[in-house]
Amino acid sequence: MRDELLESLPSAYDREALIGASRAAYVIHQTVGYEYTKPVSDLRQRLVILPRERHGDQQRLVHRFNVRAQGEARIRTRTDRFGNTIVNASVPTVEHTIEFQTRALVIRTSTDGHPPPWNSAAPTQTRLTTADEAIRQAARSLGTSRDLLETADAICELIHSSFTYAHDVTTVHTTAAQAWQLRSGVCQDMAHVMIAMCASLGICARYVSGHLVGDGASHAWIEVLDPVRRVVVAIDPTHRRHTDLRYITTATGRDYRDVAPTSGTYTGHGSRGTLRISKVIRLAEVD
């Protein structure tokens, strides 16, 4: 019955109905495709596009994963150290195109349940989220506060007011320090900067990838750990707000590289691949 819901649920609601809602069900259709200029062999693809089986008040009830290719594909699904669902695909030969298709039924119930805290309350920094002196100074400029979540909200406000949202000025390799110097970029850049600022003040934060219902592209935000309250709070610096039922979590990690939707290798001298991603999210139920 649940499997049938993947195809049968209507799109009965719009995104605005999610504001203030207590429960929502979503059907997510996503396709990741590659088109190659010449045949390639030994394709090995890592995909992080299936929402986590459970994350706080979010639950993946059922899912389907298909590969459309000329040759036979070997699929292995596993859970990584962050609790994310990872799909590894191996394809001996791709003549021209390949598509990876996911369908998932996800529900969220707005409750007091929080995503699980990470194993250590110590901030973690990577090459993409290491704070330089400019980031540390910006964080210190907010002054001292006894309340961790108030400090996190102040950091969110600072980043949102300082940044210009712009495509094509940064890449997936742009560090938090570089993005802060530019004061420009996209959601992943703002998430990296916020993680770096939080870490510079001793606040533990992690990167979240997922979807903002109604937006065509994937989205990124952060989660902050308050060890005193023993809660995890999700904050979106791109839109200067805490998340609500408009947000669907796919994966969490230290930075973008941990949760990159697609990555991989292949053998094919002179062949170039073009990536195409399509996504449709249908709201099936909102209370």
Side-chain angles (χ1 to χ4, degrees):
M1 177 61 181
R2 284 179 173 178
D3 193 59
E4 294 174 359
L5 287 174
L6 289 174
E7 302 299 337
S8 65
L9 287 173
S11 178
Y13 306 93
D14 60 25
R15 186 170 69 172
E16 299 307 309
L18 291 169
I19 301 175
S22 60
R23 183 181 183 277
Y26 322 79
V27 177
I28 305 169
H29 294 232
Q30 189 166 6
T31 300
V32 174
Y34 285 93
E35 182 176 316
Y36 299 98
T37 55
K38 296 180 180 180
V40 302
S41 60
D42 195 24
L43 176 71
R44 299 178 184 272
Q45 203 73 28
R46 177 183 184 266
L47 298 144
V48 191
I49 55 179
L50 274 174
R52 296 163 65 106
E53 186 172 359
R54 183 176 287 277
H55 188 70
D57 64 19
Q58 177 182 304
Q59 183 179 3
R60 188 188 75 217
L61 295 181
V62 66
H63 75 277
R64 195 185 299 164
F65 183 88
N66 298 312
V67 180
R68 294 184 60 186
Q70 293 84 1
E72 182 179 355
R74 297 186 298 274
I75 305 299
R76 182 170 68 94
T77 302
R78 63 182 179 88
T79 301
D80 71 3
R81 61 185 173 126
F82 304 110
N84 305 315
T85 300
I86 310 296
V87 178
N88 293 108
S90 300
V91 185
T93 304
V94 178
E95 292 295 328
H96 183 52
T97 61
I98 188 169
E99 286 188 348
F100 306 96
Q101 300 176 334
T102 63
R103 305 289 185 268
L105 174 61
V106 174
I107 62 168
R108 284 198 62 189
T109 303
S110 183
T111 66
D112 292 333
H114 294 275
W118 25 135
N119 293 333
S120 172
T124 300
Q125 297 186 72
T126 66
R127 187 188 74 83
L128 293 177
T129 63
T130 296
D132 63 357
E133 185 56 30
I135 285 179
R136 288 190 289 268
Q137 286 183 0
R140 289 196 298 267
S141 73
L142 298 172
T144 58
S145 172
R146 294 182 179 180
D147 188 273
L148 183 149
L149 295 181
E150 287 181 4
T151 301
D153 286 338
I155 294 172
C156 174
E157 171 67 34
L158 174 63
I159 294 171
H160 179 82
S161 62
S162 301
F163 259 76
T164 298
Y165 188 93
H167 291 281
D168 302 324
V169 297
T170 58
T171 72
V172 295
H173 306 292
T174 301
T175 66
Q178 293 167 336
W180 181 246
Q181 182 179 20
L182 291 169
R183 301 293 200 279
S184 184
V186 293
C187 55
Q188 73 192 28
D189 301 301
M190 293 184 229
H192 285 154
V193 171
M194 186 162 180
I195 291 170
M197 285 193 181
C198 284
S200 74
L201 296 178
I203 299 172
C204 198
R206 62 185 170 193
Y207 188 96
V208 185
S209 70
H211 306 289
L212 179 56
V213 176
D215 284 5
S218 60
H219 192 47
W221 58 96
I222 68 114
E223 289 178 347
V224 171
L225 170 65
D226 185 338
V228 175
R229 295 183 177 93
R230 297 186 60 81
V231 298
V232 175
V233 177
I235 303 174
D236 180 2
T238 302
H239 294 94
R240 193 179 59 186
R241 65 192 180 207
H242 290 197
T243 66
D244 52 28
L245 293 191
R246 289 172 288 184
Y247 293 77
I248 303 171
T249 296
T250 299
T252 66
R254 298 165 301 171
D255 58 20
Y256 170 83
R257 291 187 64 185
D258 283 338
V259 299
T262 178
S263 58
T265 61
Y266 62 84
T267 300
H269 182 70
S271 182
R272 297 189 304 275
T274 300
L275 171 65
R276 293 185 175 85
I277 299 177
S278 63
K279 178 187 70 179
V280 175
I281 297 178
R282 291 185 289 151
L283 288 172
E285 182 180 347
V286 178
D287 294 328

